[in-house]
Amino acid sequence: MSSFLHIPDNLAIVRGMFTELIEAGRVDDDSIARYMAPGYRQRVDGRELDLAGFKRHLRMQREVVEKMAVHFLAVAQDDDCVLTHHQVHVAKKDGSAARFQVQAHITLRDGKIVACDELTRQLEGPDADRDLGSRH
């Protein structure tokens, strides 16, 4: 009899994170801990965030954002890495909108996201929102 190891579906984990944290806007510690490892590190447009910085980033976004929608243009998965090319459509509480193009290299271990190296480019919206992908 052979035994099978449970191998996490890293792409499903990443998609779940985008659905729950970005689109649904859940920024409570339990929701974040469901996806992010305690030692999480993110580099976005040259700025470094640890897990505490990532939490601040999400919560600051929610102060000005009404809703965000993620549209995946392409995804790839290889072992512990997921690559995404996606757009984020942002509706802000002040009635304005913005749209961003994002390329992200996400690394996972043991079913949790441990790192993200991301490049973000604003396609539409006010210049003041240019740092919305890294503001914290």
Side-chain angles (χ1 to χ4, degrees), residues 15-32 34-35 54-70 88-89 91 93:
R15 286 183 183 271
M17 181 275 297
F18 277 107
T19 298
E20 192 167 339
L21 303 185
I22 306 305
E23 292 186 322
R26 293 191 181 104
V27 295
D28 59 281
D29 287 340
D30 289 341
S31 294
I32 293 168
R34 196 171 2 268
Y35 298 99
F54 179 70
K55 289 178 181 181
R56 279 193 309 276
H57 163 65
L58 290 178
R59 291 172 179 148
M60 286 182 89
Q61 277 185 334
R62 288 299 160 177
E63 291 175 8
V64 298
V65 170
E66 183 70 35
K67 182 164 179 47
M68 288 190 277
V70 177
V88 181
H89 299 260
K93 292 179 179 179

Side-chain angles (χ1 to χ4, degrees), residues 71-76 83-87 101-104 121:
H71 173 69
F72 290 97
L73 303 170
V75 295
L83 304 175
T84 69
H85 180 202
H86 60 276
Q87 289 188 0
Q101 179 174 304
V102 181
Q103 293 180 340
R121 180 170 63 114

